[in-house]
Each structure stands twice: as C-alpha cells, then as structure tokens.
C-alpha cells in the first residue's frame, strides 16, 4: 500500500480507484502553497496534482520516497520535469480525455465573441433594448469565413471538424505538416504562420506551451492579422504576449478576442476586463463532468500502475 497526496479535490471516481492506498487530500479554498506541499510529500509515494499546483525543484527536494507525479491535466509545465527525471520520479499527464470538451468550448467562445453574446446578455440584464432594428447589435457570421488553427493536434482537429459544420474554410500551421489523411479528414490546408495570420478571419490557438511557443503571438503577429479578425486562445496563456494583445485591441488592429487562458493566470490583465469585444472564461476548456471524470480515472490509474511496479499509461518523462 502506498501513501498518496492529492493537492486539490478531484472527482470521486479517482478516490474510489485509489481506496486501497493511504490517501490524504488538500481541501483548502485557496491553492496549496509551495511550503505546505513540500511538507506534505516528504514521505509520500505519489503526488496527484492539478495543473494549478507548481511542483518545483524546491518542493521535490523534500520528497524522499516519491515515485510518481500524476498531473491532473494535459499540460505539465507546472512541474520541474527535468529534476523529476534526474531523480527517477515518473511524471504523467492526462492527454486525450479533454479533446471533445475543449473543442466544444472553442466553438462556444468563437460564437460568443463574433455574435456578441455576453455583451447582449449584459445589455438585456441592465438597460434593456428598444426592440428589433435593421442595424441593431450586428455581429459576424462564421459561414464562408476562414478559420486559422495554430496547432493541428487532437484538439485542433476536433475544432476543425466542428468548424466545417458552420461552413468555414480551414487552414492550419504547425511545426511539422500533418499527414495527407489528417489533412483530408479535417479538410485543412497547411500554410506558414504568417500566411495563416494574414488570411484568417478567426485565429484559434491550440499549440502546446514550450520554449518555442512562448510569446508566439506578439504585436508583430497581431499586426499581420486582418482588422476585422478575432484571436482565440484555449491553449496556454503565455503563448500570447498579453500586453501586446491589449495594445492591438486598444488600437483597433483586430476586431476582438476570446480567451480561456491568461499569461499571468489566475490574474487577468485589467484592460481586458473592460473591453466589450473580449470574451473571457476562467480556464474551463475541459471543465465538463465527462472530461474531468475521465481525467480522474486516467490519473489514478497512472499512480496504480507505477506503485505496482508497472509502466504508466501516459508518461511524460
């Protein structure tokens, strides 16, 4: 039986799978501090942590028995993976299970920003409106528009298939061109990043976060977009340089933005909150009952595999 520390509450299915082990759960309302996390995993065999838990070198240096860090999320940039590897600590993530949920949210916030749905909701709840009028509250249709997808991985592919149902044209860019089979399935055309920014009516970011994608979108790239185009980000906040995005919006360089992630998350740049042409959601890309249950199951199974001396299902390192 192993000792498992869970640094944030997860769906019940995860606890049920781990019930044969000694499990301690952090139930605080605020995110766990680095100091407390270090104290709690001193003698733990496994750490199950949400994406919002920073697992730094300082924390890991205190762990004497740790065999696995099972990240509750597809990403893992919150973990010092290099240090974990040096010390034979397995790191796992939970990819794949959030694809459909994140793709659905992407289409939702695209519709929200192009059809001004949150703005209309707020109007109805406050001053109201005078009735239907030919020029009142105009938005933009998706039909016949070009969607540029940055990163045609599983989520990007799922978004492309949904966008086709709206009659959109799909172009994409990625470090490597996808196979003909994937391009045909998505009806997507490969272009360079510059071409994508120049041609797209909506630019949707689905790239993983790493050194090469940090500040992939800055003022230089935003200047290359159409003035009536929208930027959508459901990947990682720091892919976009947030101060440059604010400047582009303030200077009417693009028509608007829809963001589920933020560069300094959970903080959100104050100017973005004041803009009616910006839709903001609190990092809820995979926040569905179905996706989170699947994520809890996969994360728990990774721990069980490693504590049983077997290979994890979704190793990072």
């Amino acid at each position: 039986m192993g000792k498992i520390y869970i640094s944030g509450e997860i769906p019940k299915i995860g606890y049920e799978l781990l019930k044969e082990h000694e499990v301690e759960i952090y139930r605080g309302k605020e995110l766990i501090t680095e100091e407390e996390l270090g104290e709690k995993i001193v003698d733990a065999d496994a750490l199950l942590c949400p994406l919002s838990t920073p697992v730094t070198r300082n924390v890991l240096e205190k762990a004497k028995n740790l065999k696995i860090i099972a990240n509750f999320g597809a990403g893992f940039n919150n973990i010092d993976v290099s240090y974990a590897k040096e010390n034979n600590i397995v790191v796992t993530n939970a990819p794949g299970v959030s694809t459909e949920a994140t793709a659905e949210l992407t289409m939702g916030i695209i519709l929200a920003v192009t059809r001004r749905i949150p703005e209309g909701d707020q109007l109805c709840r406050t001053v109201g409106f005078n009735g239907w009028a030919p020029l009142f509250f105009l938005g933009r249709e998706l039909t016949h528009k070009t969607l540029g997808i940055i990163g045609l991985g599983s989520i990007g592919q799922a978004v492309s298939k949904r966008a086709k149902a709206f009659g959109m044209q799909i172009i994409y860019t990625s470090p490597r061109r996808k196979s003909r089979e994937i391009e045909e399935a998505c009806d997507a055309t490969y272009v360079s990043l510059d071409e994508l920014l120049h041609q797209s009516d909506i630019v949707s970011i689905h790239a993983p976060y790493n050194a090469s994608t940090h500040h992939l979108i800055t003022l230089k790239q935003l200047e290359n977009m159409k003035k009536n185009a929208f930027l959508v980000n459901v990947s990682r906040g720091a892919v976009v340089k947030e101060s440059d995005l604010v400047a582009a919006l303030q200077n009417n360089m693009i028509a608007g933005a829809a963001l589920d992630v933020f560069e300094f998350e959970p903080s959100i740049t104050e100017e973005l909150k004041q803009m009616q042409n910006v839709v903001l959601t609190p990092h809820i890309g995979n926040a569905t009952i179905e996706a989170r249950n699947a994520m809890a199951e996969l994360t728990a199974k990774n721990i069980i595999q490693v504590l049983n001396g077997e290979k994890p299902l979704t190793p990072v390192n």
Side-chain angles (χ1 to χ4, degrees):
M1 184 174 75
K3 183 173 182 179
I4 302 167
Y5 187 71
I6 303 178
S7 62
E9 295 189 77
I10 63 171
K12 290 181 180 179
I13 187 171
Y15 305 136
E16 291 170 359
L17 287 168
L18 298 171
K19 63 184 178 182
E20 301 300 322
H21 298 270
E22 180 185 347
V23 176
E24 182 179 357
I25 306 161
Y26 174 75
R27 299 185 185 276
K29 292 183 179 180
E30 304 295 329
L31 296 178
I32 191 169
T33 65
E34 186 173 329
E35 182 181 3
E36 183 173 359
L37 180 62
E39 293 172 356
K40 291 294 185 179
I41 65 169
V42 166
D43 58 348
D45 297 293
L47 169 64
L48 193 162
C49 56
L51 187 64
S52 54
T53 300
V55 186
T56 64
R57 182 189 184 101
N58 289 338
V59 168
L60 293 176
E61 284 177 342
K62 299 175 183 177
K64 308 303 180 184
N65 302 322
L66 202 62
K67 299 175 181 64
I68 176 174
I69 305 165
N71 218 35
F72 192 95
F76 46 87
N77 54 293
N78 58 311
I79 299 170
D80 191 330
V81 176
S82 297
Y83 183 83
K85 183 176 181 179
E86 290 170 10
N87 290 272
N88 298 313
I89 302 170
V90 174
V91 177
T92 64
N93 64 340
V97 294
S98 60
T99 296
E100 306 305 327
T102 307
E104 288 179 5
L105 182 85
T106 300
M107 294 308 302
I109 62 176
I110 286 174
L111 286 167
V113 72
T114 55
R115 293 304 303 271
R116 304 169 64 186
I117 294 171
E119 190 182 347
D121 178 84
Q122 190 62 24
L123 182 72
C124 289
R125 294 173 187 272
T126 53
V127 298
F129 66 108
N130 295 324
W132 188 94
L135 300 179
F136 175 65
F137 223 80
L138 301 182
R140 297 181 186 275
E141 295 182 8
L142 299 185
T143 307
H144 305 310
K145 299 299 192 302
T146 297
L147 174 65
I149 298 176
I150 299 177
L152 197 68
S154 59
I155 295 173
Q157 291 172 41
V159 169
S160 73
K161 293 170 184 176
R162 287 161 173 76
K164 290 301 294 183
F166 284 87
M168 301 190 77
Q169 306 300 314
I170 312 298
I171 59 177
Y172 81 96
T173 193
S174 64
R176 290 175 297 279
R177 184 170 180 173
K178 297 297 181 180
S179 68
R180 182 189 299 177
E181 290 74 19
I182 290 176
E183 289 186 345
E184 289 178 353
C186 298
D187 198 10
T189 301
Y190 177 78
V191 296
S192 68
L193 177 59
D194 285 345
E195 290 176 294
L196 181 141
L197 295 168
H198 185 68
Q199 295 179 30
S200 299
D201 298 295
I202 297 166
V203 173
S204 191
I205 304 171
H206 302 283
Y209 179 68
N210 52 47
S212 66
T213 59
H214 178 77
H215 285 179
L216 180 68
I217 303 299
T218 65
L219 198 60
K220 178 182 177 181
Q221 287 73 41
L222 293 164
E223 286 175 335
N224 200 21
M225 290 175 61
K226 297 178 181 179
K227 288 187 178 296
N228 60 353
F230 297 86
L231 181 73
V232 177
N233 188 11
V234 294
S235 60
R236 289 292 180 268
V239 174
V240 177
K241 188 175 181 180
E242 211 158 274
S243 60
D244 283 4
L245 175 59
V246 168
L249 291 163
Q250 288 175 333
N251 291 286
N252 299 314
M253 291 166 56
I254 61 174
L259 309 171
D260 185 50
V261 290
F262 308 94
E263 184 174 3
F264 307 107
E265 197 170 309
S267 297
I268 301 173
T269 301
E270 199 62 34
E271 290 89 341
L272 291 172
K273 300 178 187 179
Q274 310 306 319
M275 296 176 179
Q276 290 188 321
N277 60 338
V278 176
V279 170
L280 306 172
T281 50
H283 202 153
I284 55 172
N286 60 24
T288 63
I289 293 169
E290 296 86 353
R292 295 289 171 85
N293 280 344
M295 195 173 290
E297 182 177 357
L298 177 56
T299 307
K301 285 181 176 179
N302 273 323
I303 290 176
I304 292 168
Q305 291 281 114
V306 170
L307 294 187
N308 287 339
E310 300 171 7
K311 292 182 178 180
L313 301 173
T314 54
V316 169
N317 62 345

